[in-house]
Each structure stands twice: as structure tokens, then as C-alpha cells.
Amino acid sequence: QARWRAPTFAVRAEQVELLDGPHAFQEAVVRGVKQAKARVAVASLYVGIESTLVDEVYLALEQRTKDGSKLDVAVLVDGWRATRPTRDVDGRWTSTARKLAEHLQPKPWEEKHRKVRVGLYQTPAMRGLARKLLPPRYKEVVGVHHVKAFVFDDDVLITGANLSHDYFTARQDRYLHLRNAKPVADHMAKLLDAVMDLSYPLQADGSLGNIPCGIDPHQQPKEFKNHFNDTVGAIATAQGPALEHAPDADTYVIPTFQMGQFDLRQDEEYTKAVISMAEPGSQLRLASAYLNLAKSYELCMAKAVQNGVDLSFLTASPQANGFFGAKGPAGYIPRAYSILEERLYQRLKCHIWEYSRPGWQFHGKGLWYIPPNQRTPVLTSIGSPNFGYRSIRRDMECQLYLFTRNSNLRKTLHEEMEHLHQHAKAIDPTDFQHEGRRSGPMARAAMNLIRHYL
């Protein structure tokens, strides 16, 4: 149990805000950067390069590193995704790393020192000939830094959304903003700082420097794993403050972390525990854009259904899948997910809802737990994991479990859940027979691939 215990923090319900959509998320990030006085920590898979909404994030970060304040700025992204060549709005080739270097890294002629660090994490699973020969996009397949978390002074914002145009406009996710919660903010900042110490620092010219901890993930993978567990793992599983010191608390948050490549399975174990503890007659609602359940989760869910738990899923319809309309083999991925969804439906005999909103994509994830004979959730989780094989085995993940007995916050959780289902349709067996879902050789091949890689 010591390997997956997590700190529990007591807060009050009025400190918790659930943002309702992409625009509110973008505004919260920009406002958080602009108003912070002591620290800003940003963790995302990548930062986009394609619109003025994203530029507002870059410019806010740049301004705060140059305004003469004592603000400490740290930005953590995935090393493979952030260096993937991408065209900007003017058609020029660039990348997240180049944009971050242009905006944040000090230039030789600058007199003032900038307190800014940019880290690019690279998994040690990508090494040898594969690291040298694979195109940039395919290097991400073996595992990425998938955490999406932000610290602005004593505020924490956690989500499953990245910092890009789609996530700021028409890609629905979930977002939890925790205000004036210094112990939680300190914990998250320490966690991200420990990963920064294991990441390549971005230089002013866009190149990567030597990893601060002195252990290269590609040259010393075993030592890297051990150091990761000794530092990041130790922080993730550290004991939290004594709860009896917060007698007025009505809400509790538990940050969980996952790095399956290094056998750090904290989030996975908490998720299985929550599913297993669901009472007969209760409701367990889960959301994932990519319904490709890990076997360990499905086994827990099957037992829950047998014990009388009302289980349902909210997922993306083929049209709301992020790969819909993609060129080449990637275009078959929505059909592949539809095959997996149908098979899950047949095995678990559960309810499935598909998010379908013209012009929108669905990227939400997490769960809600509603006790027997009640209408509103007492527990939810929000963060980056998708409940799939990739989330528990390949990627670095983080989410926040929230438990509350406050009736107003429970009502807010219910409203958020219903808002997402407002654009969803309940699926029945005939839906899987539609023309756009029929499986052919390419769709089945894509399904066999994504089961362990997407």
C-alpha cells in the first residue's frame, strides 16, 4: 500500500470551481499567469502554435518573465511532442520548443535575468535505433508526459486539456480550479519540479541542455527509473497534512500520479479501489474520449455490475473523435474505437452515451460516484488518464480525486455531469450497424494497434 498511498488535503467547497468549457479554461490560464505574484508552473503535453488564443498564453508568460518581478516560471512539456515539426498560421515550420524558446528563454543581449525554466521530458522507453530512425510523430507512441496541471501561486488548475486552439474553442474537456489551497499547490509544484529535474532543459537557441539530475534516460535507463521513483515517486506518495487540523473542511482532494513504465501505479490503484467500493444500487459514471479500457479496470467494473452498480460511460461519437477526418491510416481510428466500444457494450451490458455536437470534439475524462438512493455525486476525478492501457502502462498521468459532503458542491458536480450528457445520445445495439461504423480489414487492423498504443 505504501507504493500507492497518496496525500489527502482538506479544503472547503467554496474553494472549488468547475469551469464549463474551453473558453473559460483559456481565460483561467491567461489570468492565472498574469495575476501570479510568486510562482507559475505549467504542465501540458504540448503548447500549440496555431492561433491568437494560444499566442495569448505565450505572450502572458513572456511578459511575466520580463516584467522585473520575482515570479518563478516553470513550463513542462513532452520532449517528443514539443519537438515535432508543425506549420504555424503563416505556413512556416516550427514547433512548441521553438516557440517556447523564442518567447521565454533570455537572449544574450538582455541585461535582466529571467527566472524561467522550460523542461522537455523524454521517456527512456524510446532509445537505440528506434530513437534515431523513427519520425518524430511515431516516437510519441511508446509513451509521453501526459500531465495537464497548473499552479498559480496557491491556486491549482487540473484538467485533461492541452494548451492549443482546439482545446480553447471546440474540444470539450473537464477542468477543476482549486483556489487558495497552498498545501495542494505546494504538493503539485514539488511534483512538477521533480519531473523538471528529470527533463531536458530548453536552451535559448531551441536546443536541449543536459538533464539537471545528471542521469540521461536514454543512456542510463535503469538509473533513471530508480531516480524517478526516489524523487517523483516519493513526493507522489508522501503523507499529507493531518486532517484534524482542518475542522471546518467539508471537501477532500487526493492528487494521484501514474507512471506505469516505472511501476508507479498510484492512480490505477485508486481508480480500482473506487470502482470496487461502489455499493449495490449506486451509480458509477465514467467519461473517456477513447473507450479502450484496460483489462484491470474492466474486471473491476464487471464485478461492480454483478453487484448491482448502475454503470455508464460517456465517450466520443465517431464524429466527435479527435481522429475523425484524419488522412491516411489514422482516419480508421474512429471506426476502430467503435469496434472496441461495441465489444465493451456486449461484455459489460452497461449504458453508453456518445457525445455528438456539430463542430465539436469530446476529450473529457474522469468519473462520478453517486451513492444509492441519491441524485448527486459525492466523488469525482478529473485529470489526464483515459482508463486505457496506454494510461496505465505507457504515459505519465496525474489527476485529482475530490470527495465532498457539501450539498452545493454536490449539486455543481451533478450539473457538470448533466451538462456533458446534454450533448450525448444513449447507444443501443442498432447504432453499431450504421454504415459509418462497419468494420473492414483496415478498421480491424487499427483496432489491434490502438489497443496497446492509443
Side-chain angles (χ1 to χ4, degrees), residues 21-34:
H23 292 291
F25 169 53
Q26 191 266 357
E27 291 172 355
V29 172
V30 174
R31 183 171 58 250
V33 172
K34 288 183 175 181

PDB file of all heavy atoms in Angstrom, residues 21-34:
ATOM      1  N   GLY A  21     -16.138  25.153 -19.904  1.00  0.00           N
ATOM      2  CA  GLY A  21     -15.805  24.906 -21.290  1.00  0.00           C
ATOM      3  C   GLY A  21     -14.457  25.459 -21.700  1.00  0.00           C
ATOM      4  O   GLY A  21     -13.718  26.036 -20.895  1.00  0.00           O
ATOM      5  N   PRO A  22     -14.111  25.310 -22.978  1.00  0.00           N
ATOM      6  CA  PRO A  22     -12.790  25.687 -23.487  1.00  0.00           C
ATOM      7  C   PRO A  22     -12.442  27.160 -23.283  1.00  0.00           C
ATOM      8  O   PRO A  22     -11.305  27.486 -22.939  1.00  0.00           O
ATOM      9  CB  PRO A  22     -12.871  25.332 -24.979  1.00  0.00           C
ATOM     10  CG  PRO A  22     -13.909  24.265 -25.059  1.00  0.00           C
ATOM     11  CD  PRO A  22     -14.912  24.610 -24.007  1.00  0.00           C
ATOM     12  N   HIS A  23     -13.399  28.066 -23.519  1.00  0.00           N
ATOM     13  CA  HIS A  23     -13.093  29.490 -23.392  1.00  0.00           C
ATOM     14  C   HIS A  23     -12.762  29.851 -21.948  1.00  0.00           C
ATOM     15  O   HIS A  23     -11.818  30.610 -21.686  1.00  0.00           O
ATOM     16  CB  HIS A  23     -14.271  30.323 -23.900  1.00  0.00           C
ATOM     17  CG  HIS A  23     -14.499  30.218 -25.371  1.00  0.00           C
ATOM     18  ND1 HIS A  23     -13.619  30.736 -26.306  1.00  0.00           N
ATOM     19  CD2 HIS A  23     -15.495  29.629 -26.094  1.00  0.00           C
ATOM     20  CE1 HIS A  23     -14.059  30.480 -27.525  1.00  0.00           C
ATOM     21  NE2 HIS A  23     -15.195  29.804 -27.426  1.00  0.00           N
ATOM     22  N   ALA A  24     -13.529  29.310 -21.015  1.00  0.00           N
ATOM     23  CA  ALA A  24     -13.266  29.571 -19.601  1.00  0.00           C
ATOM     24  C   ALA A  24     -11.901  29.018 -19.200  1.00  0.00           C
ATOM     25  O   ALA A  24     -11.189  29.621 -18.381  1.00  0.00           O
ATOM     26  CB  ALA A  24     -14.361  28.953 -18.739  1.00  0.00           C
ATOM     27  N   PHE A  25     -11.517  27.896 -19.768  1.00  0.00           N
ATOM     28  CA  PHE A  25     -10.209  27.301 -19.497  1.00  0.00           C
ATOM     29  C   PHE A  25      -9.092  28.220 -19.979  1.00  0.00           C
ATOM     30  O   PHE A  25      -8.146  28.521 -19.242  1.00  0.00           O
ATOM     31  CB  PHE A  25     -10.132  25.928 -20.183  1.00  0.00           C
ATOM     32  CG  PHE A  25      -8.760  25.307 -20.213  1.00  0.00           C
ATOM     33  CD1 PHE A  25      -8.014  25.163 -19.054  1.00  0.00           C
ATOM     34  CD2 PHE A  25      -8.218  24.859 -21.415  1.00  0.00           C
ATOM     35  CE1 PHE A  25      -6.749  24.580 -19.086  1.00  0.00           C
ATOM     36  CE2 PHE A  25      -6.959  24.280 -21.460  1.00  0.00           C
ATOM     37  CZ  PHE A  25      -6.223  24.147 -20.287  1.00  0.00           C
ATOM     38  N   GLN A  26      -9.188  28.686 -21.223  1.00  0.00           N
ATOM     39  CA  GLN A  26      -8.161  29.568 -21.764  1.00  0.00           C
ATOM     40  C   GLN A  26      -8.039  30.849 -20.943  1.00  0.00           C
ATOM     41  O   GLN A  26      -6.935  31.308 -20.617  1.00  0.00           O
ATOM     42  CB  GLN A  26      -8.471  29.899 -23.227  1.00  0.00           C
ATOM     43  CG  GLN A  26      -7.348  30.590 -23.979  1.00  0.00           C
ATOM     44  CD  GLN A  26      -7.457  32.110 -23.977  1.00  0.00           C
ATOM     45  OE1 GLN A  26      -8.419  32.670 -23.444  1.00  0.00           O
ATOM     46  NE2 GLN A  26      -6.460  32.774 -24.560  1.00  0.00           N
ATOM     47  N   GLU A  27      -9.173  31.417 -20.575  1.00  0.00           N
ATOM     48  CA  GLU A  27      -9.170  32.657 -19.790  1.00  0.00           C
ATOM     49  C   GLU A  27      -8.562  32.432 -18.414  1.00  0.00           C
ATOM     50  O   GLU A  27      -7.831  33.293 -17.900  1.00  0.00           O
ATOM     51  CB  GLU A  27     -10.596  33.192 -19.664  1.00  0.00           C
ATOM     52  CG  GLU A  27     -11.171  33.710 -20.978  1.00  0.00           C
ATOM     53  CD  GLU A  27     -12.647  34.045 -20.878  1.00  0.00           C
ATOM     54  OE1 GLU A  27     -13.232  33.777 -19.793  1.00  0.00           O
ATOM     55  OE2 GLU A  27     -13.211  34.572 -21.848  1.00  0.00           O
ATOM     56  N   ALA A  28      -8.832  31.269 -17.806  1.00  0.00           N
ATOM     57  CA  ALA A  28      -8.285  30.967 -16.484  1.00  0.00           C
ATOM     58  C   ALA A  28      -6.768  30.832 -16.532  1.00  0.00           C
ATOM     59  O   ALA A  28      -6.064  31.284 -15.611  1.00  0.00           O
ATOM     60  CB  ALA A  28      -8.918  29.692 -15.929  1.00  0.00           C
ATOM     61  N   VAL A  29      -6.243  30.227 -17.601  1.00  0.00           N
ATOM     62  CA  VAL A  29      -4.789  30.069 -17.726  1.00  0.00           C
ATOM     63  C   VAL A  29      -4.120  31.428 -17.904  1.00  0.00           C
ATOM     64  O   VAL A  29      -3.151  31.764 -17.210  1.00  0.00           O
ATOM     65  CB  VAL A  29      -4.439  29.132 -18.901  1.00  0.00           C
ATOM     66  CG1 VAL A  29      -2.929  29.131 -19.154  1.00  0.00           C
ATOM     67  CG2 VAL A  29      -4.926  27.715 -18.616  1.00  0.00           C
ATOM     68  N   VAL A  30      -4.635  32.239 -18.830  1.00  0.00           N
ATOM     69  CA  VAL A  30      -4.043  33.556 -19.079  1.00  0.00           C
ATOM     70  C   VAL A  30      -4.142  34.431 -17.839  1.00  0.00           C
ATOM     71  O   VAL A  30      -3.162  35.102 -17.451  1.00  0.00           O
ATOM     72  CB  VAL A  30      -4.727  34.229 -20.290  1.00  0.00           C
ATOM     73  CG1 VAL A  30      -4.224  35.658 -20.452  1.00  0.00           C
ATOM     74  CG2 VAL A  30      -4.472  33.434 -21.561  1.00  0.00           C
ATOM     75  N   ARG A  31      -5.291  34.436 -17.202  1.00  0.00           N
ATOM     76  CA  ARG A  31      -5.471  35.245 -15.989  1.00  0.00           C
ATOM     77  C   ARG A  31      -4.560  34.768 -14.866  1.00  0.00           C
ATOM     78  O   ARG A  31      -3.963  35.582 -14.140  1.00  0.00           O
ATOM     79  CB  ARG A  31      -6.938  35.185 -15.552  1.00  0.00           C
ATOM     80  CG  ARG A  31      -7.261  36.054 -14.335  1.00  0.00           C
ATOM     81  CD  ARG A  31      -8.759  36.131 -14.096  1.00  0.00           C
ATOM     82  NE  ARG A  31      -9.361  34.817 -13.910  1.00  0.00           N
ATOM     83  CZ  ARG A  31     -10.175  34.224 -14.784  1.00  0.00           C
ATOM     84  NH1 ARG A  31     -10.496  34.822 -15.915  1.00  0.00           N
ATOM     85  NH2 ARG A  31     -10.685  33.034 -14.524  1.00  0.00           N
ATOM     86  N   GLY A  32      -4.417  33.460 -14.722  1.00  0.00           N
ATOM     87  CA  GLY A  32      -3.550  32.919 -13.684  1.00  0.00           C
ATOM     88  C   GLY A  32      -2.108  33.355 -13.865  1.00  0.00           C
ATOM     89  O   GLY A  32      -1.429  33.716 -12.894  1.00  0.00           O
ATOM     90  N   VAL A  33      -1.619  33.323 -15.111  1.00  0.00           N
ATOM     91  CA  VAL A  33      -0.249  33.751 -15.391  1.00  0.00           C
ATOM     92  C   VAL A  33      -0.085  35.243 -15.103  1.00  0.00           C
ATOM     93  O   VAL A  33       0.883  35.668 -14.459  1.00  0.00           O
ATOM     94  CB  VAL A  33       0.131  33.443 -16.850  1.00  0.00           C
ATOM     95  CG1 VAL A  33       1.488  34.054 -17.200  1.00  0.00           C
ATOM     96  CG2 VAL A  33       0.138  31.941 -17.099  1.00  0.00           C
ATOM     97  N   LYS A  34      -1.040  36.039 -15.562  1.00  0.00           N
ATOM     98  CA  LYS A  34      -0.927  37.493 -15.415  1.00  0.00           C
ATOM     99  C   LYS A  34      -1.000  37.943 -13.961  1.00  0.00           C
ATOM    100  O   LYS A  34      -0.365  38.934 -13.579  1.00  0.00           O
ATOM    101  CB  LYS A  34      -2.030  38.186 -16.224  1.00  0.00           C
ATOM    102  CG  LYS A  34      -1.827  38.116 -17.729  1.00  0.00           C
ATOM    103  CD  LYS A  34      -2.916  38.871 -18.459  1.00  0.00           C
ATOM    104  CE  LYS A  34      -2.663  38.918 -19.963  1.00  0.00           C
ATOM    105  NZ  LYS A  34      -3.719  39.669 -20.690  1.00  0.00           N
TER     106      LYS A  34
END
